[in-house]
Amino acid sequence: MLGCGRRQKSSREKILDAAAELVSEIGAGRLTLDAVAEKAGVSKGGLLYNFRTKEALLQAMVQRLVDEVSAEREALREQAEPGRNLEARLCTAALLKLRQGGMRDVANGMLAASAENPRLLDPVREVIRATLENLKATSDDLDAALVGWLAIEGLNSFEMHDLSPFSEEEHERVVQAVNRLLRKGIA
């Protein structure tokens, strides 16, 4: 029966998936529209219909990452236990998802691409600004919320750049400390 089961990906989604795979493999600097079209199984014209330039494709990839983290935060909201610093707890939990799967490699590639074009990270800058404003408006303990957010961002940054000195156990210890801080606050 037609229409049941998985929906078929749009050509735009196929292109973004292919670009993400290529960025993970070769980096954003070496990404070409021809390679993306080939990997996505679409014509160059089909790619250009969706993304007129490489910059437009890279911008869409950054926006997709932003949207995925936002969607993860909202999915976590449905399962979150109420209590202190809910928004900060949701934010840090969603950020921790960045370290899983291919999202980390794509984020790292996009960060490298931003060296050539700093405007690529404008959506990320907006999310950071909005996150700060949200934490200021909703936190029961703003100091705890800010320290927790910064700690998780720091962990992610270390890992994104392969600079983390922490073992998996130490990483988990920091995450648990952040969770305690957000639930109990700074004394």
Side-chain angles (χ1 to χ4, degrees):
M1 181 165 137
L2 293 176
C4 292
R6 276 192 183 154
R7 71 175 180 85
Q8 191 171 359
K9 286 187 178 184
S10 70
S11 60
R12 183 177 175 84
E13 289 174 297
K14 288 178 186 175
I15 293 165
L16 288 169
D17 288 346
E21 282 183 48
L22 287 168
V23 165
S24 295
E25 292 168 11
I26 64 172
R30 295 179 42 206
L31 185 74
T32 66
L33 295 179
D34 288 326
V36 173
E38 182 179 331
K39 184 139 189 117
V42 299
S43 68
K44 177 93 177 260
L47 185 142
L48 292 173
Y49 175 79
N50 286 282
F51 304 102
R52 296 185 61 77
T53 63
K54 178 180 171 180
E55 181 176 327
L57 175 59
L58 293 173
Q59 287 172 334
M61 292 175 69
V62 169
Q63 187 60 53
R64 185 184 199 193
L65 286 172
V66 166
D67 293 344
E68 286 176 4
V69 172
S70 179
E72 182 63 36
R73 186 181 63 239
E74 293 311 309
L76 290 167
R77 183 182 306 281
E78 295 174 12
Q79 306 161 4
E81 57 185 76
R84 295 175 60 80
N85 297 314
L86 176 62
E87 292 301 316
R89 287 186 287 123
L90 292 171
C91 174
T92 57
L95 288 170
L96 286 167
K97 293 285 186 172
L98 270 177
R99 73 188 292 260
Q100 299 173 350
M103 197 186 276
R104 174 183 168 239
D105 292 336
V106 174
N108 201 17
M110 300 314 298
L111 187 61
S114 72
E116 267 182 48
N117 182 356
R119 288 187 12 238
L120 281 177
L121 294 181
D122 284 349
V124 176
R125 287 182 187 88
E126 178 55 32
V127 167
I128 291 169
R129 186 201 60 73
T131 298
L132 176 59
E133 293 306 314
N134 186 36
L135 292 178
K136 285 179 180 178
T138 64
S139 296
D140 299 301
D141 182 339
L142 183 57
D143 292 343
L146 293 176
V147 168
W149 178 42
L150 289 170
I152 298 303
E153 287 285 14
L155 280 177
N156 281 353
S157 181
F158 275 169
E159 290 178 5
M160 186 179 294
H161 297 92
D162 283 330
L163 296 173
S164 182
F166 301 116
S167 68
E168 192 60 36
E169 293 79 25
E170 291 166 327
H171 172 96
E172 188 57 31
R173 185 176 181 176
V174 172
V175 170
Q176 293 305 319
V178 167
N179 288 335
R180 283 191 308 275
L181 175 67
L182 293 175
R183 282 189 170 77
K184 295 178 182 177
I186 294 179

